[in-house]
Amino acid sequence: MTERRFLLGFVTALATLGLVVGAFQLLFTRVGEIGLARVVDRQLAAPNGDVLFLSGVNQNSHRYKLMLFDRQRPQVIAIGSSRAMEVRAEFFDAPFVTLGGAVNNLANLEAVADHVAKAPARPKLAIVYVDPWLFNARYTDNQGPVPSYPRYVSADMLWAGAKALRRGNWIAQSFRSPNLGIYAISRNEGFARDGSQYYNLTGDGAYDAKFALTFARIDGDKQNFQRNTRAYPRLVGRICAAVRKVRAATGAAAVVAPPFADSVWRRLSQPDYAYIADGYAQLQACLGDIPFFDYADPARIDGSSECEFIDGLHGGDVTYARTLLQMAATDPAVRAQVNAPYLQAFVGKYRGHAGGTVLARDPAVREADFLQLGCRK
């Protein structure tokens, strides 16, 4: 009798556990934390920007961005780290997707180049944004394999979801929000279906107020800002080879050194960071006839200001609109794809702002001076 009761209790416990796990599986699937294809389906069924996606569990967007590329078969693409995520579909006359965020290291860049080269429908233009730390031999962040997107609920996911509740009840919000992913639901920011990032810049909670966080990384010789005096030629060569593969697949490519905020760039313009200029010079020489645009120093961007930056190393969409206008002035391949009248009007209307596209979609939104620089928004 005792053995029978034990077995009955054990079966009951298993059944209860199964029901709990099943319930969480349904919840995480519904909010977009499980099932990447379903997320992309929802985004493609809605206008660009209406359904944002930002996972609260998996912050590596490599596989997500490749899926957007595969499903939409764009004619123009941007490739790079998070510093290529403020390039928007509205900036071009042709279908566009940014793979910004898919490249955290050289292996990622090479994987993206291979993927584009094997695509059945290849783009007509690729703009490759190259961060200087890719040719710094001391840069070791994010060197591991690209994590797969989860298919089943796990203990780690439950823990991440529980921690996210401290920022607000994302479970309740998910019934009202069109967004997918815990962070997109709770923060109302994330990736649109063109892959570009929409930030919520309306609050006063500054992520990098007065660039203090970026300066701390520079002073600490860590993350993206490890010091070095010389770029490593072998790393530059790998970048160059990846860009050449992309150009061979697309027919036209341009390489961009993305901008830093002016105060940050001045900190980096010292002998301890001489590898930056050295690496870009080596890369430009290797690229040959592939156009190279160096905007690392924001002074090279007409009209740019720190008020148009998200943080110390991420320009906003107005900044990137300015660079595309300048690129189009000298590069016929870029000029053939950009929507110059739109870019000119966009820059003129939203100068001094970091998130012009957000403001264009909702005139009632007001951008805050989130960097605490005394910017008049």
Side-chain angles (χ1 to χ4, degrees):
M1 195 72 174
T2 302
E3 182 178 345
R4 187 175 177 182
R5 287 178 179 174
F6 173 78
L7 288 174
L8 181 61
F10 181 72
V11 170
T12 302
L14 281 179
T16 303
L17 178 62
L19 288 173
V20 171
V21 171
F24 279 110
Q25 177 78 14
L26 289 174
L27 172 63
F28 277 82
T29 299
R30 192 180 69 80
V31 301
E33 292 292 353
I34 293 174
L36 196 52
R38 179 179 174 273
V39 169
V40 174
D41 287 342
R42 284 274 305 276
Q43 289 191 299
L44 297 188
N48 189 43
D50 280 16
V51 177
L52 302 179
F53 168 64
L54 190 61
S55 171
V57 174
N58 185 352
Q59 295 305 298
N60 192 307
S61 60
H62 182 94
R63 297 185 189 280
Y64 165 68
K65 294 299 181 75
L66 291 183
M67 187 175 288
L68 287 179
F69 169 79
D70 290 341
R71 293 285 299 277
Q72 298 188 71
R73 300 188 173 191
Q75 295 182 30
V76 182
I77 58 173
I79 297 173
S81 68
S82 58
R83 301 175 77 215
M85 295 195 307
E86 290 304 289
V87 189
R88 312 277 194 197
E90 292 90 339
F91 296 171
F92 299 91
D93 283 325
F96 168 82
V97 166
T98 176
L99 298 174
V103 177
N104 292 311
N105 55 57
L106 262 175
N108 291 166
L109 176 60
E110 291 164 335
V112 169
D114 288 342
H115 193 90
V116 172
K118 296 173 183 175
R122 298 175 181 176
K124 295 180 179 178
L125 172 66
I127 304 174
V128 185
Y129 293 81
V130 177
D131 296 320
W133 38 86
L134 290 184
F135 41 73
N136 183 354
R138 294 189 62 220
Y139 175 69
T140 58
D141 293 355
N142 302 311
Q143 296 298 317
V146 176
S148 60
Y149 200 73
R151 298 174 60 188
Y152 304 102
V153 71
S154 67
D156 288 342
M157 293 178 67
L158 295 176
W159 177 242
K163 288 195 297 182
L165 288 171
R166 292 181 300 181
R167 298 180 60 92
N169 189 342
W170 58 265
I171 299 175
Q173 290 173 306
S174 70
F175 291 95
R176 303 186 298 271
S177 172
N179 298 333
L180 293 168
I182 291 173
Y183 283 170
I185 291 167
S186 60
R187 301 176 183 178
N188 194 31
E189 60 182 19
F191 301 118
R193 74 180 205 179
D194 66 352
S196 68
Q197 174 91 27
Y198 282 67
Y199 292 94
N200 186 341
L201 305 175
T202 62
D204 295 324
Y207 162 71
D208 194 15
K210 299 180 181 177
F211 308 123
L213 180 59
T214 303
F215 291 150
R217 292 173 178 173
I218 294 172
D219 295 340
D221 187 33
K222 61 185 180 180
Q223 294 178 296
N224 307 92
F225 296 104
Q226 290 97 336
R227 302 182 185 98
N228 216 331
T229 56
R230 299 290 295 175
Y232 190 29
R234 184 172 176 273
L235 298 179
V236 176
R238 288 175 61 187
I239 297 169
C240 186
V243 172
R244 287 185 174 278
K245 179 176 285 190
V246 169
R247 201 270 291 270
T250 60
V255 174
V256 177
F260 296 93
D262 183 64
S263 299
V264 174
W265 178 248
R266 281 187 269 118
R267 289 276 190 102
L268 298 176
S269 300
Q270 53 183 302
D272 282 348
Y273 292 95
Y275 86 90
I276 297 177
D278 177 46
Y280 281 135
Q282 289 185 43
L283 180 61
Q284 185 172 12
C286 180
L287 291 172
D289 62 344
I290 299 175
F292 173 75
F293 298 91
D294 188 354
Y295 296 122
D297 180 354
R300 299 191 182 105
I301 304 172
D302 294 340
S304 177
S305 76
E306 292 187 331
C307 295
E308 296 177 358
F309 275 73
I310 306 290
D311 57 32
L313 62 158
H314 292 90
D317 53 11
V318 176
T319 299
Y320 282 82
R322 292 182 187 276
T323 62
L324 285 170
L325 281 171
Q326 290 183 219
M327 292 164 65
T330 59
D331 187 342
V334 175
R335 184 163 58 248
Q337 302 298 340
V338 300
N339 185 340
Y342 177 88
L343 288 171
Q344 290 165 350
F346 181 79
V347 170
K349 185 171 185 178
Y350 299 110
R351 67 179 70 239
H353 293 81
T357 307
V358 175
L359 302 177
R361 290 183 177 278
D362 187 352
V365 171
R366 293 292 301 273
E367 187 173 295
D369 180 23
F370 56 91
L371 290 176
Q372 300 178 13
L373 299 175
C375 300
R376 300 183 64 180
K377 302 281 189 176

